[in-house]
Structure formats: structure tokens, C-alpha cells
Amino acid sequence: MTENHTTALSVVLAGGGSAGHVSPLLAIAAAIRVKAPETAILAVGTKEGLETTLVPAAGFELTFVERIPLPRKPSMDLVKLPGRMLRAIRDAKTILNDAQADVLVGVGGYVCTPMYLAAKSLGVPIVIHEANTKAGLANKVGARYTTHVGTAFAETAIRHAHLVGMPMRKEIASLTRHAGQAAATSRLGLAVGKPTLIVTGGSLGALRLNQAIAASLQALADAGIQTLHITGKGKTVLGDDGAALAAPGYQQVEYVDSMEDVYAAADLLLCRSGAGTVSEVAAVGLPAVFVPLPIGNGEQARNAAGLVAAGAALLVPDGDVDAAWVSAELIPLCLDAPRLARMTANASELGIRDAAESMAAMVFAASGK
């Protein structure tokens, strides 16, 4: 990778909606900034997505195009689609021209289709990152117009795919779990030296996990395990008295900003298997039990398949997660230090820590500068 770029680049990054799109976008932007601090960076999203708060908080400029869902069946939205898409492409061209964009980077989501089509029309080079094992429609469209395509998973089927891993925040990518475990455990308000289970259903929470853990507090405490339960925003678990559920060795919070502390403090993570979580768990070498979302197209199970096959994680169907399963399976695993050590080693072999830097290198190559 070139260390110094004498001509300042202008890079437009498009994507948004969920944290699964916004997080890699921000990681790529940060890696570009580290290598070429003078680069002009503009993010493009929609007014309905998490990018409206996450992008400005990360210090990057944000602008918007209209959110255009692609209907799967006949509807008024389908009738309106051509006109809405043409307007969005026109707006996207204006954004790229005003930014004097040298490169468009897309990470998927509704915003990317008009941005890709506008970039193709204007001759702006395109770079794509696909985070999921099943490539999204927008990125499949964009991949027709570029050879610069990075994927988080080796099995992702998309044109010109290059395995780069999942771009993630430097605090996670550079984490050494055991070296930082005691300090992270203290920051989270947990006791240093006790077996630690951390449970998270992601930013939206996971009802099945919340219910299973709430019903297992006595069993966990009796086993000497402390539990940090990240319930999801607005998903506080209540006790019979209507107050937030409380028990010895148990604490719950709705959200944790510093997931690197969670990854360092946990001996075992019980979680959903979104692409970002799976990639981060592998990168830091954290044993995990994945409970894929029971809805959708099976994407979350596919995300976890590589780690499960390598003996780095377990996969449990959502319907199997209850108090009996926690006692029979989860508690023994959490107390089995040799098995957890093997899982850590297996995960670390699959983890990729430099995906953001690889994507930044792709951006510099595409720009020709």
C-alpha cells in the first residue's frame, strides 16, 4: 500500500440503515483517513437509518438520498419505482459532482443502487464491500461495474469477490483479550476473576435470549458465574415486582458503547449471529454460542457456519434456548476452561483484523492516485 498520497482524494461512501452497514462504512472511512489524512470524505445515507446519528458522531459529513425499497411483488411502490429511481439517480449524480468524487465506496443498503448507477454514468470508479454471506441486491448491481469488490466471508457469491474480512473499529481489531481482561471487567462493573457470561441480542435485543437468561439467574449464580445481560434498547427485563430484574452476580444494561470491553471481559458470549458480530468474535478470538434469528432467509446461520465447523463456536436454534438448555449446556461450557481455550485458538485462526486497511488499499488502487 502506498504510504503517502500527494494528491488529495475525494471519497464518497454510501450505505446505511442498520449498524451492519454503517459500522463497516465508518471503519473504512477511518482507515482511509489514517493513510491519507487530507482525503475529503462524504457519507451518503437515508434520513431513516442509524447513519443519521452514527456518522456525525464519528466526525464525518453526511448527506442523503431518498430511500427506495425494491418491491418484491406488484404494488403502488412498484408503479412508482421508475420515477423515484430516476430522481434518486439524479440526486446521486449531483452529490458525486459536487464532491468531485474520485471514488464511490458502497457497503450495501437501499441508498447504494442509485449511487452505483450514478457513478457508472459519470465514470466514477466504484469499490464495494459485501458484509453478508448472501450478497444484497444493490451490491450485486454495483459489482457489474467494478472489479474492486471485498467480502467479509469466503463463501459470498458476488462478481469479482476478494476476501478481505469485515472492516471494524480499531479498538476491536487491535484488541488483545487476555491482556485487557481485568481492566475491561472492572469498567463494566463486574468482578475480576469470576467466570463471566455476557449475553447480547444486538442493538434491538432478542426476546428469546432475554427470557432464557431471566429464568436462569439462580442456576448461573449457583454455578459461580457472573452474567452481564445486554438486553437491547427499551428491552429492560422486569421482575415480578415491575422493577428491573436484579439478582446476585447479575446485572443488566440496555446497551454498551464499548463492545471491545465486552469482548475482553467475557469468557463466553451468547448472542445472535449477525455478520458483524461473527466477524468481530473471530477477530478477537472469543468463544461464542450463536442463536441465529429464526426469521428471514437463514442468513445468520450461514454467517456462523465457518466458526461452528472450525470448533470455534456453537450454533443453537432459537427454539431450543430456554432455562433447561442453559443449565444443561451453557453453564457447563462456561465453566470448561480447556474447551474455551480450544475455541479461542480456533476462532483466532479464522479471524481477520485488517479488513478496513484492505478496503482502504482498494480505494486507493481504484482511484489511480
Side-chain angles (χ1 to χ4, degrees):
M1 186 188 297
T2 303
E3 289 296 329
N4 295 300
H5 302 270
T6 54
T7 305
L9 281 179
S10 173
V11 179
V12 174
L13 297 104
S18 67
H21 286 138
V22 181
S23 295
L25 182 152
L26 291 175
I28 295 167
I32 292 169
R33 268 284 155 78
V34 167
K35 277 297 181 186
E38 72 281 6
T39 301
I41 293 177
L42 173 67
V44 184
T46 69
K47 292 181 179 178
E48 296 82 11
L50 284 176
E51 59 270 26
T52 57
T53 53
L54 297 180
V55 171
F60 296 106
E61 185 182 353
L62 176 66
T63 191
F64 303 102
V65 296
E66 184 184 0
R67 178 183 183 274
I68 304 178
L70 301 178
R72 305 288 181 181
K73 55 178 107 174
S75 66
M76 281 307 296
D77 279 339
L78 186 60
V79 173
K80 295 175 182 177
L81 179 62
R84 295 175 71 188
M85 185 63 76
L86 286 172
R87 286 195 302 275
I89 294 170
R90 182 192 64 212
D91 293 343
K93 286 182 179 179
T94 300
I95 290 168
L96 292 170
N97 281 328
D98 288 351
Q100 298 182 313
D102 294 302
V103 182
L104 169 69
V105 181
V107 297
Y110 293 123
V111 67
C112 282
T113 302
M115 293 301 300
Y116 290 146
L117 295 174
K120 168 63 174 172
S121 171
L122 296 173
V124 174
I126 296 169
V127 174
I128 293 172
H129 185 267
E130 175 53 61
N132 292 298
T133 50
K134 183 177 173 63
L137 183 57
N139 280 350
K140 284 184 175 179
V141 170
R144 297 164 59 188
Y145 308 131
T146 181
T147 58
H148 300 286
V149 180
T151 65
F153 296 97
E155 56 269 37
T156 301
I158 189 171
R159 288 190 187 193
H160 309 299
H162 300 83
L163 176 65
V164 298
M166 178 73 78
M168 59 190 73
R169 291 190 302 113
K170 199 69 181 174
E171 293 85 353
I172 294 173
S174 62
L175 178 68
T176 303
R177 276 184 59 229
H178 294 297
Q181 187 165 32
T185 301
S186 295
R187 282 193 293 270
L188 292 172
L190 300 170
V192 175
K194 285 192 71 173
T196 301
L197 170 69
I198 298 185
V199 182
T200 175
S203 60
L204 299 178
L207 182 61
R208 174 75 68 169
L209 302 190
N210 291 354
Q211 291 173 333
I213 294 302
S216 304
L217 297 187
Q218 190 62 55
L220 288 161
D222 289 348
I225 296 169
Q226 64 180 340
T227 304
L228 174 62
H229 187 182
I230 307 168
T231 62
K233 289 190 174 179
K235 302 287 179 65
T236 295
V237 180
L238 304 179
D240 293 337
D241 59 357
L245 188 62
Y250 170 82
Q251 66 164 293
Q252 61 169 303
V253 293
E254 289 192 355
Y255 187 74
V256 173
D257 278 321
S258 53
M259 283 302 291
E260 60 271 17
D261 281 348
V262 168
Y263 295 150
D267 293 301
L268 180 65
L269 187 71
L270 175 64
C271 58
R272 292 298 195 200
S273 50
T277 301
V278 170
S279 298
E280 290 176 354
V281 159
V284 305
L286 174 60
V289 177
F290 293 121
V291 184
L293 270 170
I295 57 174
N297 56 13
E299 184 175 275
Q300 287 208 344
R302 285 194 295 272
N303 291 342
L307 285 179
V308 173
L314 301 182
L315 190 145
V316 181
D318 188 82
D320 291 354
V321 177
D322 56 18
W325 172 83
V326 170
S327 292
E329 303 291 340
L330 190 67
I331 288 174
L333 175 60
C334 198
L335 297 175
D336 190 342
R339 186 179 181 190
L340 294 178
R342 292 193 298 272
M343 292 173 73
T344 291
N346 293 338
S348 297
E349 287 184 9
L350 294 181
I352 300 175
R353 291 176 177 255
D354 62 352
E357 290 74 19
S358 296
M359 289 303 301
M362 210 178 278
V363 171
F364 297 136
S367 75
K369 290 191 175 182

